[in-house]
Amino acid sequence: PRVRSASTPMMLPSLVVVLAGSSSTPQRRRLDVLFEVLSRTHGGPSFISRSDLLLLRAAAARRFEAAPREGEEARFTDACEWVMSQLDDPHASFLPPERAEALSSRYHGQLDLGVRTTHEPLESRAKGGWRALRLPPRKAQPQAVRTIVSAVAERSPAALAGLRVGDEVLEVAGKALAASGGPEADALLQAEENERVPMLVRRAGCRAPIHLSLRCALLPPPSVSSRTVRLPARAAASAAPGQPGGRSEGGGHAAVLRIHHFGAGTAAELCSELRKLRARVDGSGSGGGGA
């Protein structure tokens, strides 16, 4: 039978001792962890009694063992989802690790330096030299590349450190990138929270390379997004009554701005997006139109 729910669950001591020693596989041990969490979040006489929680644990174990042996992770996920369905709690659900990570990144952000790069191959300085000397060709070597900064996120560790689009990354954490290739360069740009990542870059107009230090941090997800859409001539005239050029044949442009959620940086993001939208709409064409 389904477990009766209540609006105010009471706490119950963890069932670690009761469930200890009952696991034989990593998935069974993870199932034990689920019930340890449930004993703290849903345990208590007003939600789930201790005896009902133990019965539910035994039923979940039987369901796990009775499932087809192919795919241990799928068996574990099925058992956890079944357990959550028995709680009769619409506000509780089980999320697999990948979905939980995606949800956390969506609302809380993700660890990142805030820099994106592209890789350009370096041209060889001795074209055809081996053929001209009639020597056997050398063994193929990984192609050397230049790592160029293609994007820097606003208010990110890269932006705070002064990194700019177009900079050529020469070294990351003391390791030269010219001969390492693209995948290894991308791996060097991954870091743990609060980890300092020294970087050496070459910038156009600067004679000497520039030393930068980036501190990896949790980048909050953007709370504001925007886009521009082209309006038909009639819609443009009604959207901007009285403005000259509103009835041009090419129509006008409208700015669409969306606030996904509110956070500490929403106001600054809103102002930034409004400036970008104004620049896009003002420079979107010579036909005029309203924004």
Side-chain angles (χ1 to χ4, degrees), residues 41-176:
T41 60
H42 290 72
S46 63
F47 204 106
I48 307 178
S49 67
R50 183 184 181 88
S51 59
D52 283 343
L53 196 59
L54 291 174
L55 289 174
L56 186 60
R57 172 65 183 86
R62 289 194 298 269
R63 184 181 181 89
F64 177 80
E65 294 298 336
R69 291 293 176 180
E70 298 82 23
E72 289 284 316
E73 190 65 26
R75 295 169 60 203
F76 168 75
T77 300
D78 175 75
C80 291
E81 290 177 345
W82 177 82
V83 168
M84 301 308 295
S85 69
Q86 303 307 301
L87 296 180
D88 200 20
D89 181 1
H91 304 292
S93 61
F94 171 79
L95 294 178
E98 60 276 5
R99 288 184 58 193
E101 183 177 353
L103 189 65
S104 176
S105 298
R106 177 180 176 183
Y107 289 102
H108 303 292
Q110 57 185 354
L111 288 175
D112 198 357
L113 294 174
V115 56
R116 297 294 177 266
T117 59
T118 57
H119 309 290
E120 301 177 357
L122 289 173
E123 296 182 0
S124 173
R125 297 183 179 179
K127 297 182 180 179
W130 292 101
R131 290 186 179 180
L133 295 174
R134 299 181 181 276
L135 295 175
R138 292 183 295 178
K139 184 179 180 180
Q141 299 293 331
Q143 188 176 26
V145 298
R146 298 169 65 239
T147 302
I148 307 298
V149 176
S150 59
V152 177
E154 295 183 5
R155 298 181 297 278
S156 66
L160 296 176
L163 194 65
R164 300 179 185 176
V165 173
D167 288 349
E168 179 184 354
V169 183
L170 304 178
E171 294 182 5
V172 175
K175 187 168 185 178

